[in-house]
C-alpha cells in the first residue's frame, strides 16, 4: 500500500485501460454469460449475470418449501423452451406437481422425474444425467453426499454442459465444497407491503469473487397476501347449502385482498 | 438318330437364361455351429463332431492328429487325449442355416435353403446393385467369416449346377453349364447313392462323361426322377425354388468351449451377436425396442433378462451399453456355456437424418438453442436410466383436463406420448423471463410445486391448522368442487376449501385445505 503513491496516477489509469488486466471487481470478466435467474437483484451478484452455464450450484436450506424451487423456476422455464434437452429432477422429496410447473412456464415435455430406488443409484443417476449432454439442468436432492462425490458431479457437469443444482442442508455451509456456486437460503419475515413472498439469500461461494452478505430477494410468486381475519369463520358456523356449480366462481372472487406497491 | 444329350439341351435354352445362381456351401457347418464362438487358441484344439459315435466332421487340428471321418470315438481318443467332442445336432444346424439365409436376404430376395448345408441365392438381378458377381461373392465370404463360418461359393446358370460346383470346389469359367460341370465327379450329384455307385461301376466318374450318354437310356436305367434331375441340372427344365420369406424374427446363439464365470468375458460374444442383430435390422429397415438375452448352462437354470428401449432403435452401441448395464446388475451367475439373443418385436425404422453438422450447437433466429443429434442423445439417457433403475423409476408429467388437484396431472411412462395438448404457448414463457408477467399469472390461483399424495391430516387448534407449530393462513379460501360425475368415493366427494398457509418460524408456505363444516385440516402441498 505504501508503494501506491509512488506510481503515477496516469500510469495506473493507463494500466487499467489495458485489456489484459483482470480485476476482481469485474466478476464477469472471463465468464461467459450465465443463464439469467429471472431476479435482477441476484443476477448482479453472480458471475456471468446468471446461473453458471455448467457446474454445480449448491442451494443450502433447512426447510423444504422455503422458496428453493421458486428461485429456480424462471431459469428452468427459460431453459425448457430454449433447449430441447431434459430437465431432470432426481429424487425429489415429494411428487412434483405438473400444473404448478406448467404455470411457471416450464415445458413439461422436457421434464423428467427420476426416483432411484437406492441412495447409490441417486448419485449414479445424477452423474449420468450431467455427463450425458442431453440434460439442460439437473436438480438433485442427494441426501448425504461427500465432497469427493460433489467433485465428480462438478466435472461431469462441465463435460455435459449441464446446470447442476444440489439441495442440501445449511449444516454443510462451513464445509469445503468444490461446487461452482453456493447459496444459503434462509427465512425472511414477510413484508406486508409486498405481494410476493421473500427469501433471504446469501452467496457464500462464487467464482471470481468473495461471498456476500445475506439480502432479501422478493420472489415473483404473488403468494404473500394480507391475512384476512378468519376468526369469524369458525367451524361451528353452518355454511349455507349452495348449488354445486356455483362453488368455483365463489372461490375465485372471495378474499383476495391485494395491496400493490406500485 | 442318336442325338447328343448335351447338344439337345443347348437348343432348349431356358427363358430365364439371365439368372445367375450362387450356391453357398458350408461343408463344416456341423462343426462350426460349435466352434464359431471360440477364441483362436481354443480353435487350435482338436474338435470332432460325432454322429452315432463316429466322427462325422472335424477340424484341422483333429485332422492333423490323424483322426479321420468315420473313426469311432475310441480311435479318436487313442490318437489324441485332449479332444473336444460334440454330438451332431441337425436341428441346430438347420437353425443356423435359416439364420444365415435371413442374413443373405440382403443380397437377393430369391434365397432358398438346401439342407443340410447349402444356401442358394439368385444374384442375377442384384449384380448391378452390388457391382458384379465377384463383389457379391466377396461380401458373402467375408460376412460368413466374421460369423465364424467357412464357405465354398460357386455360381452357375442353374441352382443344381451351382450346388454341384460348390460342393466339388471346382469352378470352371465355362460359358455353358455342361462345360463347367464336365470335370466334376458324379459323387457330387445330389442323387441316391446307389445310382452314383452303379455309375461308378459303369466307369463313369465325371459328369462330363455322364452327359455324353443318351438321355432315354439313362431314363430307362435309372428312372424318370434321375433324368428329370439331369434336365434341371442343365437348365432344360425349369427348377422352381422355394424361397425364404424374410421373417422378422431374430434368434442367434453362441456356445463357449469352456464355461465362462466372469461376466466381463461375455462382452466379446455379446458384441458379436449384436453385430448380427444390427445387420439383420439394417437389411430389413427395422428397429427394435426389446431385446431378450438368455444365459444358459447345461447344469443350471437359464438366466434371462430383457432390455427395453424408450424408442425403437438399431444402434449397436446403445444395445451394448444397456446390455452391459444389465449384466452388471445380474447376480448369482456362476457359469455360462451358451448365450443367446432373441428379438421378436420389430418396428419399421424411421431413419434419423444424419446431419452434416452433427453435434454442433446453433442459435436459431428466435433465440432457441438448437443442437443436432439431440433427440438421439436424450433417448440414450432415458434408455440408460430405465434399464438400470427399472421402468417405474423414471416418468414424465403432463397436464390433464381436470380442475381437481389430484386429477389435474398425469404420469407418463417413458415411451408414452402426451395426448393432452394443453401445454402453455411457448411465447408466454419466453416473455416471462424478459420480466413480463405471464398472461394468466394474475388470474389463476397459485399451485404448489410439490404435492403430497395422499394429503396429510393436520392437527388443528380452533380454526388454525398446525404443522410443526401453528400455521398462519395467508390466502384463501379457494373452493374446489368434487367430481360428482366421476363417482368419487364418499370420503373425497366433498368440496374443499384451500388456503395458502405460512409457517411463521421457517417461512415455509404450505397448501392446506379443509372440508366445509368439518374441522379437520389437511396438508396437500408445499410451495417449494
Amino acid at each position: 500500500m505504501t508503494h501506491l503513491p509512488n506510481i503515477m496516477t496516469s500510469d495506473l489509469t493507463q494500466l487499467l485501460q489495458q485489456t489484459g488486466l483482470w480485476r476482481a471487481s469485474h466478476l464477469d470478466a472471463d465468464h461467459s454469460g450465465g443463464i439469467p435467474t429471472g431476479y435482477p437483484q441476484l443476477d448482479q451478484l453472480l458471475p456471468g449475470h446468471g446461473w453458471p452455464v455448467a457446474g454445480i450450484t449448491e442451494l443450502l436450506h433447512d426447510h423444504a418449501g422455503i422458496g428453493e424451487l421458486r428461485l429456480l423456476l424462471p431459469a428452468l422455464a427459460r431453459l425448457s423452451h430454449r433447449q430441447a434437452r431434459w430437465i431432470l429432477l432426481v429424487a425429489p422429496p415429494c411428487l412434483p406437481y405438473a400444473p404448478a410447473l406448467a404455470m411457471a412456464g416450464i415445458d413439461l415435455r422436457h421434464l423428467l422425474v427420476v426416483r432411484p430406488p437406492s441412495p447409490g443409484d441417486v448419485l449414479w443417476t445424477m452423474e449420468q444425467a450431467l455427463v450425458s449432454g442431453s440434460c439442460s439442468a439437473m436438480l438433485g436432492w442427494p441426501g448425504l453426499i461427500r465432497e469427493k462425490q460433489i467433485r465428480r458431479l462438478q466435472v461431469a457437469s462441465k463435460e455435459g454442459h449441464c446446470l447442476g443444482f444440489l439441495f442440501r442442508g445449511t449444516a454443510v455451509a462451513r464445509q469445503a465444497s468444490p461446487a461452482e456456486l453456493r447459496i444459503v437460503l434462509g427465512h425472511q419475515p414477510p413484508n406486508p407491503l409486498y405481494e410476493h413472498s421473500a427469501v433471504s439469500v446469501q452467496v457464500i461461494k462464487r467464482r471470481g469473487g468473495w461471498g456476500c452478505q445475506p439480502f432479501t430477494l422478493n420472489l415473483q410468486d404473488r403468494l404473500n397476501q394480507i391475512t384476512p381475519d378468519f376468526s369469524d369463520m369458525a367451524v361451528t358456523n353452518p355454511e349455507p347449502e349452495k348449488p354445486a356449480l356455483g362453488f368455483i366462481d365463489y372461490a375465485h372472487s372471495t378474499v383476495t385482498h391485494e395491496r400493490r406497491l406500485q | 438318330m442318336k442325338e447328343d444329350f448335351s447338344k439337345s439341351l443347348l437348343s432348349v435354352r431356358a427363358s430365364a437364361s439371365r439368372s445367375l445362381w450362387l450356391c453357398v456351401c458350408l461343408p463344416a457347418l456341423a462343426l462350426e455351429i460349435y466352434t464359431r464362438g471360440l477364441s483362436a487358441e481354443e480353435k487350435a484344439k482338436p474338435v470332432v463332431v460325432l454322429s452315432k459315435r463316429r466322427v462325422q466332421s472335424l477340424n484341422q487340428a483333429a485332422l492333423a492328429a490323424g483322426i479321420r471321418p468315420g473313426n469311432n470315438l475310441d480311435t479318436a481318443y487313442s490318437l489324441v487325449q485332449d479332444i473336444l467332442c460334440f454330438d451332431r445336432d441337425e436341428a441346430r444346424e438347420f437353425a443356423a442355416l435359416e439364420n444365415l439365409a435371413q442374413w443373405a436376404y440382403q443380397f437377393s430376395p430369391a434365397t432358398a435353403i438346401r439342407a443340410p448345408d447349402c444356401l442358394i441365392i439368385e444374384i442375377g438381378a442384384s449384380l448391378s446393385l452390388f457391382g458384379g458377381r465377384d463383389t457379391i461373392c466377396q461380401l458373402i465370404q467375408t460376412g460368413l467369416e466374421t460369423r465364424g463360418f467357412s464357405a465354398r461359393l460357386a455360381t452357375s446358370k442353374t441352382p443344381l449346377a451351382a450346388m454341384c460346383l460348390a460342393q466339388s470346389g471346382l469352378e470352371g469359367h465355362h460359358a455353358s453349364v455342361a462345360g463347367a460341370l464336365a470335370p466334376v465327379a458324379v459323387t457330387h450329384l445330389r442323387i441316391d447313392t446307389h445310382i452314383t455307385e452303379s455309375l461308378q461301376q459303369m466307369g463313369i466318374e465325371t459328369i462330363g462323361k455322364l452327359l455324353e450318354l443318351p438321355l432315354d437310356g439313362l431314363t430307362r436305367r435309372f428312372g424318370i426322377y434321375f433324368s428329370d434331375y439331369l434336365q434341371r441340372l442343365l437348365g432344360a427344365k425349369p427348377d422352381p425354388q422355394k424361397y425364404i420369406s424374410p421373417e422378422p424374427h431374430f434368434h442367434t446363439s453362441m456356445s463357449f468351449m469352456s464355461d465362462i464365470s466372469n461376466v466381463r468375458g461375455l462382452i466379446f460374444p455379446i458384441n458379436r451377436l449384436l453385430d448380427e442383430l444390427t445387420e439383420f435390422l439394417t437389411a430389413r429397415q427395422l428397429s427394435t425396442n426389446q431385446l431378450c438375452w438368455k444365459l444358459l448352462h447345461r447344469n443350471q437354470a437359464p438366466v434371462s433378462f430383457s432390455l427395453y428401449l424408450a424408442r425403437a432403435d438399431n444402434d449397436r452401441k446403445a444395445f451394448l451399453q444397456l446390455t452391459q448395464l444389465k449384466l452388471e446388475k445380474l447376480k448369482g451367475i456362476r457359469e455360462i456355456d451358451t448365450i443367446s439373443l432373441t428379438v421378436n418385436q420389430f418396428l419399421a425404422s424411421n431413419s434419423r437424418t444424419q446431419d452434416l453438422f452433427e453435434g454442433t450447437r446453433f442459435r436459431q433466429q428466435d433465440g432457441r438453442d438448437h443442437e443436432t443429434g439431440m433427440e438421439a442423445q436424450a433417448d440414450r439417457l432415458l434408455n440408460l436410466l430405465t434399464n438400470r433403475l427399472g421402468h417405474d423409476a423414471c416418468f414424465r408429467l403432463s397436464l390433464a383436463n381436470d380442475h381437481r388437484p389430484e386429477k389435474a396431472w398425469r404420469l407418463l411412462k417413458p415411451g408414452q406420448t402426451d395426448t393432452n395438448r394443453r401445454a402453455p404457448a411457448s411465447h408466454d414463457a419466453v416473455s416471462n423471463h424478459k420480466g413480463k408477467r405471464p398472461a394468466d399469472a394474475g388470474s389463476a390461483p397459485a399451485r404448489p410445486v410439490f404435492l403430497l399424495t395422499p394429503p396429510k391430516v393436520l392437527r388443528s387448534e380452533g380454526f388454525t391448522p398446525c404443522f410443526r407449530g401453528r400455521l398462519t393462513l395467508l390466502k384463501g379460501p379457494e373452493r374446489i368442487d368434487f367430481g360428482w360425475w366421476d363417482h368419487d368415493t364418499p370420503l373425497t366427494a366433498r368440496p374443499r376449501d384451500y388456503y395458502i398457509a405460512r409457517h411463521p418460524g421457517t417461512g415455509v408456505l404450505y397448501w392446506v385445505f379443509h372440508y366445509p363444516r368439518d374441522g379437520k385440516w389437511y396438508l396437500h402441498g408445499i410451495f417449494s
Side-chain angles (χ1 to χ4, degrees):
Chain A
M1 281 295 142
T2 48
H3 304 294
L4 203 60
N6 298 345
I7 301 168
M8 284 172 67
T9 345
S10 60
D11 281 351
L12 190 63
T13 46
Q14 211 182 344
L15 199 63
L16 289 178
Q17 275 161 5
Q18 283 178 6
T19 47
L21 196 70
W22 181 82
R23 296 171 74 194
S25 57
H26 288 171
L27 277 179
D28 52 345
D30 64 344
H31 291 279
S32 54
I35 291 149
T37 61
Y39 304 100
Q41 220 180 337
L42 183 60
D43 279 349
Q44 277 179 6
L45 281 169
L46 301 178
H49 292 300
W51 300 116
V53 180
I56 295 292
T57 301
E58 280 185 39
L59 293 172
L60 312 178
H61 62 93
D62 279 334
H63 302 281
I66 203 165
E68 71 276 17
L69 267 182
R70 274 173 283 159
L71 187 68
L72 298 183
L73 286 179
L76 294 183
R78 184 190 163 92
L79 279 176
S80 75
H81 286 279
R82 293 224 157 184
Q83 299 187 4
R85 303 201 283 173
W86 293 115
I87 290 176
L88 218 64
L89 304 180
V90 182
C94 303
L95 179 86
Y97 190 47
L101 297 170
M103 217 182 274
I106 292 178
D107 188 345
L108 291 176
R109 284 171 300 174
H110 296 142
L111 192 87
L112 187 67
V113 184
V114 188
R115 299 184 115 169
S118 77
D121 284 334
V122 174
L123 288 172
W124 177 85
T125 308
M126 292 200 290
E127 189 178 6
Q128 288 300 321
L130 289 169
V131 85
S132 71
S134 50
C135 291
S136 57
M138 189 285 299
L139 280 64
W141 286 260
L144 284 175
I145 182 168
R146 286 202 303 275
E147 184 198 337
K148 247 185 202 167
Q149 294 164 330
I150 298 179
R151 190 179 300 281
R152 271 186 79 151
L153 294 181
Q154 166 79 10
V155 172
S157 153
K158 290 276 181 196
E159 204 171 305
H161 289 284
C162 176
L163 235 77
F165 291 101
L166 295 182
F167 297 95
R168 307 176 71 196
T170 51
V172 296
R174 292 195 168 271
Q175 295 172 12
S177 162
E180 188 100 357
L181 181 67
R182 303 183 84 197
I183 293 178
V184 176
L185 301 177
H187 169 48
Q188 181 69 35
N191 183 341
L193 295 177
Y194 285 100
E195 60 169 330
H196 300 303
S197 63
V199 65
S200 141
V201 174
Q202 185 187 10
V203 180
I204 55 170
K205 181 188 172 184
R206 55 179 167 166
R207 283 280 148 95
W210 287 276
C212 71
Q213 288 302 309
F215 68 94
T216 308
L217 187 73
N218 289 305
L219 301 164
Q220 308 267 325
D221 54 10
R222 299 163 65 94
L223 285 177
N224 188 33
Q225 305 293 332
I226 303 304
T227 315
D229 191 9
F230 290 112
S231 53
D232 59 334
M233 292 182 68
V235 192
T236 46
N237 280 6
E239 194 136 326
E241 280 297 330
K242 293 209 173 195
L245 287 174
F247 283 160
I248 300 164
D249 293 338
Y250 167 72
H252 281 286
S253 59
T254 45
V255 215
T256 43
H257 303 283
E258 287 182 9
R259 191 185 296 167
R260 296 190 189 170
L261 194 65
Q262 291 97 341
Chain B
M1 178 171 165
K2 265 190 190 174
E3 206 179 356
D4 196 0
F5 178 55
S6 56
K7 272 182 192 164
S8 71
L9 286 171
L10 293 176
S11 56
V12 210
R13 285 214 139 199
S15 59
S17 60
R18 287 225 195 108
S19 60
L20 184 62
W21 296 87
L22 171 72
C23 175
V24 180
C25 181
L26 303 152
L29 182 67
L31 183 75
E32 279 162 351
I33 54 166
Y34 294 107
T35 58
R36 73 193 195 104
L38 305 184
S39 62
E41 63 182 78
E42 281 173 322
K43 275 183 187 166
K45 281 186 190 172
V47 185
V48 295
V49 174
L50 305 166
S51 168
K52 293 178 187 155
R53 291 187 62 80
R54 292 206 173 261
V55 175
Q56 202 261 339
S57 125
L58 68 174
N59 70 350
Q60 277 300 322
L63 202 64
I67 305 172
R68 293 287 173 269
N71 286 159
N72 63 18
L73 189 55
D74 302 333
T75 320
Y77 268 117
S78 64
L79 287 165
V80 203
Q81 299 222 316
D82 183 20
I83 193 168
L84 287 161
C85 296
F86 295 99
D87 267 327
R88 189 169 175 199
D89 186 347
E90 289 183 41
R92 220 174 133 186
E93 282 170 36
F94 191 74
L97 210 55
E98 273 185 325
N99 204 355
L100 288 177
Q102 291 290 335
W103 166 76
Y105 188 79
Q106 62 185 302
F107 299 105
S108 163
T111 304
I113 298 171
R114 280 305 176 91
D117 58 357
C118 282
L119 291 179
I120 289 183
I121 308 163
E122 200 286 305
I123 55 167
S126 315
L127 287 178
S128 53
L129 176 62
F130 288 92
R133 191 200 81 109
D134 293 341
T135 327
I136 294 186
C137 291
Q138 190 66 42
L139 282 172
I140 292 180
Q141 195 86 51
T142 48
L144 289 172
E145 267 166 34
T146 54
R147 283 172 167 68
F149 293 105
S150 57
R152 281 205 296 262
L153 308 185
T155 52
S156 184
K157 287 191 178 122
T158 66
L160 291 176
M163 269 170 75
C164 281
L165 291 169
Q167 280 188 318
S168 67
L170 302 166
E171 193 178 4
H173 290 279
H174 258 271
S176 72
V177 178
L181 284 173
V184 178
V186 287
T187 47
H188 293 299
L189 289 173
R190 292 218 163 182
I191 46 177
D192 277 348
T193 40
H194 77 263
I195 300 181
T196 352
E197 277 166 17
S198 46
L199 283 174
Q200 279 171 323
Q201 280 164 7
M202 287 158 68
I204 295 165
E205 293 289 340
T206 64
I207 296 178
K209 277 191 182 166
L210 173 69
L211 295 184
E212 281 170 14
L213 297 174
L215 181 63
D216 50 350
L218 286 172
T219 315
R220 243 197 322 274
R221 184 155 189 157
F222 298 114
I224 187 75
Y225 290 111
F226 179 64
S227 65
D228 178 66
Y229 173 82
L230 285 181
Q231 281 170 309
R232 283 190 286 134
L233 177 71
L234 298 173
K237 268 194 179 175
D239 187 10
Q241 303 289 319
K242 195 180 172 211
Y243 299 132
I244 58 151
S245 52
E247 306 166 21
H249 167 80
F250 181 86
H251 175 85
T252 181
S253 66
M254 205 174 256
S255 304
F256 314 116
M257 199 58 45
S258 50
D259 295 349
I260 290 187
S261 50
N262 186 355
V263 171
R264 286 219 187 111
L266 285 173
I267 295 303
F268 173 73
I270 281 175
N271 229 328
R272 197 137 150 197
L273 296 179
L274 284 176
D275 265 338
E276 290 180 22
L277 173 66
T278 41
E279 272 186 43
F280 176 91
L281 293 174
T282 316
R284 284 160 191 74
Q285 298 188 321
L286 292 172
S287 58
T288 183
N289 57 359
Q290 197 175 340
L291 282 77
C292 183
W293 289 99
K294 208 169 195 181
L295 310 175
L296 303 143
H297 190 267
R298 56 192 176 276
N299 296 336
Q300 282 165 21
V303 181
S304 63
F305 60 94
S306 295
L307 302 181
Y308 299 96
L309 280 80
R311 192 179 294 180
D313 207 342
N314 61 357
D315 181 14
R316 188 183 64 86
K317 263 194 209 158
F319 293 154
L320 181 66
Q321 194 185 18
L322 299 177
T323 309
Q324 274 177 302
L325 255 184
K326 281 275 182 185
L327 274 181
E328 281 165 19
K329 293 205 98 181
L330 282 182
K331 278 171 199 143
I333 294 183
R334 265 168 287 163
E335 290 165 315
I336 300 156
D337 66 358
T338 301
I339 181 167
S340 79
L341 170 63
T342 313
V343 180
N344 289 323
Q345 279 196 9
F346 295 96
L347 295 148
S349 82
N350 35 358
S351 55
R352 277 199 189 100
T353 39
Q354 289 278 321
D355 210 307
L356 180 61
F357 302 102
E358 184 83 25
T360 331
R361 194 175 288 204
F362 296 108
R363 178 148 290 187
Q364 289 178 338
Q365 277 191 331
D366 56 358
R368 292 187 304 135
D369 283 333
H370 175 74
E371 196 166 330
T372 56
M374 209 67 252
E375 290 84 359
Q377 273 192 19
D379 284 347
R380 221 166 288 155
L381 177 70
L382 197 54
N383 290 337
L384 206 65
L385 295 180
T386 47
N387 277 291
R388 156 113 184 212
L389 307 174
H391 218 57
D392 297 330
C394 302
F395 55 90
R396 293 193 299 133
L397 300 169
S398 140
L399 296 177
N401 250 329
D402 204 309
H403 71 276
R404 286 164 291 172
E406 285 98 339
K407 301 198 173 174
W409 67 283
R410 281 188 309 132
L411 197 141
L412 290 180
K413 288 280 165 207
Q416 226 173 341
T417 45
D418 188 1
T419 48
N420 192 341
R421 289 264 150 262
R422 236 185 72 189
S426 64
H427 65 262
D428 264 8
V430 175
S431 63
N432 186 17
H433 74 78
K434 281 179 186 158
K436 289 184 222 153
R437 183 172 293 134
D440 56 349
S443 54
R447 290 284 176 268
V449 179
F450 285 135
L451 195 74
L452 269 71
T453 45
K456 184 181 162 71
V457 184
L458 295 183
R459 204 161 49 80
S460 47
E461 289 176 11
F463 194 65
T464 318
C466 295
F467 181 59
R468 295 171 189 154
R470 286 171 72 98
L471 300 179
T472 320
L473 295 180
L474 289 187
K475 194 177 179 180
E478 179 195 348
R479 177 152 297 180
I480 297 180
D481 200 3
F482 68 98
W484 48 264
W485 57 90
D486 252 3
H487 309 292
D488 276 354
T489 54
L491 186 72
T492 55
R494 278 185 290 174
R496 296 168 176 179
D497 281 347
Y498 277 88
Y499 293 84
I500 295 165
R502 190 206 326 267
H503 189 273
T506 59
V508 179
L509 296 175
Y510 295 110
W511 205 37
V512 295
F513 72 86
H514 74 111
Y515 296 111
R517 283 176 288 137
D518 181 1
K520 251 188 201 166
W521 284 91
Y522 297 85
L523 174 63
H524 205 185
I526 302 170
F527 288 89
S528 188

